[in-house]
Amino acid sequence: MMHMGTNDSSQTTKGTHSMKHPSLRAYLYTAAAAALLLIPLQTRATPGTFVPAAGRRDMAYDQQRGVLYITSGADLLRYSVTSNAFLPSWSLGGSLAGIDLSPDGNRLAVADSTRTEGQVWIHDVDLQTGVSRKAYFDRSFGEGGTFSVAFGGDGAVVTSSTFEGSGWTPLRRYDPATGATSVLTPGGMGSDYVTQDCMLSASADGSVIGFEESDISDGRFGRYRVADRSLLRKQWYADGTSWFNYEIGVSRNGTQYALPTYGGAYICDADLHKNAIIGAYAGGQPVGVAYSPVADIVYFPWAGTNEIRSYDTNTLKQIGSFDFGGQFYSPGNHAFQMGRLKMSRDGTLLFSTVNGGVRFMRVADPVPEPTSALLLLAGAIPAIGVWRRRAARQ
């Protein structure tokens, strides 16, 4: 496998000024972001950039190198977003499925739905050297191979698996640094396993990993907390979604979860309590989900339309839409169909699987470095509040 160099051209160039007080810097960024949210988002009619990949399943964007990785059959396709051209693909073998990028951006975990008689595995790809190795796990009864992967903030990977038929599979935690593997036990029905084809999604800060169980009608789901390795699971019809779940998304700090289903997308709080539904049964509804890693925004591909719609996570009101050039439809209770979403780590690029490949577009502008204009804005916000209080006393 060839060594791959670093491409920094996709990163935003930073200013040359410095700031002595990190707290002031953070305040200015917050003020700038708050000001930007006051500007209403408009519908974007451009379909963005299409990446042809007929056999695509999942994807991950490497912002550090400007490369989009796509799992397709036995190959890991590599597409340069900066030059809009494919790079030589990497052949890992097997039948590749879910993919995720490590917190430091230097490692890929790739699920593989093939197996031997006694083992299943994921591919552990070092992006600094281009070297790939398999991380092997003892195969459980009926297990067909690995399916989904997600990195936590500690650098370890949580994995799920397929089943040959209909049944229960383990959630595993694998640490690439030590090679240590353990089976996570959420408890409840299923002998401490989860149903097959379980989808995983990590919060941007790496504090939690959400999981949903696709192949069971009570729509059970849960979260793995990285700090203490604890699991919380919601099951049965009262606590689950009561639908076959499509996927799961987790907000940037793990305080909100979204689960698209045929009955709409269920929105849950940090303790997994359901508190809202976006969309409608058998009608307009989300078929996938991705949360912005830097803002209080969630994105949903909308069944029956060409749109990916953005919502404010605090008000759950729609704030924008983006035309992705092809109609989205219900995935039929199976993930990795049309509408599988991923985002760049700066929250500016949105990627979606579409018919025949992947399409991406810019949905937000980079948050600028603090400037004198932002200093004025930051001072104006509390000043307005003082003026209003004074006016009220007159």
Side-chain angles (χ1 to χ4, degrees):
M1 190 169 289
M2 297 179 62
H3 175 79
M4 185 170 72
T6 300
N7 184 345
D8 290 325
S9 62
S10 65
Q11 293 180 312
T12 303
T13 303
K14 295 187 177 180
T16 57
H17 60 277
S18 63
M19 192 168 289
K20 294 182 179 180
H21 302 290
S23 58
L24 176 59
R25 184 186 185 91
Y27 174 74
L28 293 177
Y29 271 123
T30 302
L36 291 175
L37 287 176
L38 296 177
I39 304 173
L41 297 181
Q42 297 179 349
T43 299
R44 306 247 181 126
T46 174
T49 301
F50 177 69
V51 182
R56 91 287 181 271
R57 295 197 75 188
D58 201 7
M59 64 205 157
Y61 179 58
D62 180 354
Q63 185 168 307
Q64 180 179 343
R65 299 167 181 85
V67 174
L68 175 67
Y69 303 98
I70 304 171
T71 53
S72 178
D75 296 327
L76 186 61
L77 307 182
R78 300 187 303 141
Y79 181 86
S80 172
V81 168
T82 55
S83 63
N84 289 324
F86 275 104
L87 303 173
S89 61
W90 290 347
S91 181
L92 303 184
S95 179
L96 307 181
I99 182 173
D100 198 26
L101 187 70
S102 64
D104 65 6
N106 288 324
R107 187 183 300 274
L108 280 175
V110 185
D112 189 337
S113 297
T114 55
R115 65 164 179 88
T116 63
E117 183 64 28
Q119 293 180 311
V120 298
W121 55 84
I122 63 170
H123 299 271
D124 181 0
V125 183
D126 187 332
L127 296 177
Q128 294 179 302
T129 64
V131 174
S132 173
R133 63 188 177 93
K134 289 181 179 179
Y136 290 96
F137 315 124
D138 292 335
R139 179 177 174 244
S140 69
F141 174 79
E143 190 174 5
T146 54
F147 186 73
S148 183
V149 289
F151 276 97
D154 59 354
V157 187
V158 174
T159 74
S160 70
S161 295
T162 66
F163 191 90
E164 295 176 349
S166 181
W168 305 84
T169 59
L171 282 178
R172 297 184 177 92
R173 177 187 181 273
Y174 164 70
D175 187 346
T178 64
T181 300
S182 59
V183 174
L184 306 176
T185 55
M189 182 180 177
S191 301
D192 292 332
Y193 283 3
V194 295
T195 59
Q196 65 196 71
D197 301 349
C198 174
M199 292 297 287
L200 305 168
S201 178
S203 59
D205 66 4
S207 62
V208 297
I209 296 173
F211 63 91
E212 60 78 35
E213 303 185 49
S214 299
D215 192 37
I216 194 163
S217 62
D218 66 354
R220 57 192 61 187
F221 62 96
R223 67 104 181 100
Y224 166 73
R225 190 164 57 206
V226 173
D228 59 5
R229 304 187 189 180
S230 67
L231 287 108
L232 175 64
R233 185 190 214 176
K234 295 295 183 179
Q235 58 184 346
W236 313 121
Y237 291 97
D239 289 336
T241 65
S242 296
W243 294 93
F244 288 97
N245 300 322
Y246 298 160
E247 293 200 35
I248 189 169
V250 187
S251 66
R252 55 185 171 141
N253 56 4
T255 58
Q256 189 178 97
Y257 298 75
L259 293 114
T261 75
Y262 198 59
Y266 284 75
I267 308 300
C268 305
D269 62 19
D271 296 317
L272 307 185
H273 297 131
K274 298 172 291 186
N275 53 31
I277 300 175
I278 293 178
Y281 161 68
Q285 60 186 233
V287 298
V289 58
Y291 279 86
S292 168
V294 297
D296 294 336
I297 301 174
V298 59
Y299 297 87
F300 297 113
W302 207 262
T305 75
N306 295 354
E307 297 178 351
I308 293 180
R309 300 180 181 180
S310 58
Y311 281 72
D312 184 309
T313 60
N314 299 301
T315 64
L316 299 183
K317 301 296 185 182
Q318 184 180 349
I319 56 176
S321 64
F322 306 87
D323 185 351
F324 265 64
Q327 185 168 323
F328 294 105
Y329 51 81
S330 170
N333 302 337
H334 292 90
F336 300 136
Q337 308 297 319
M338 290 181 62
R340 170 71 168 160
L341 302 186
K342 292 289 182 73
M343 293 205 76
S344 60
R345 288 190 170 173
D346 64 0
T348 63
L349 297 178
L350 179 63
F351 301 81
S352 176
T353 53
V354 296
N355 188 28
V358 174
R359 192 177 295 277
F360 69 92
M361 71 169 60
R362 184 174 294 277
V363 296
D365 294 322
V367 176
E369 287 285 316
T371 64
S372 57
L374 295 184
L375 284 168
L376 293 174
L377 174 63
I381 293 174
I384 291 172
V386 171
W387 180 84
R388 286 177 174 170
R389 287 193 294 272
R390 288 177 178 173
R393 290 196 293 267
Q394 291 178 354

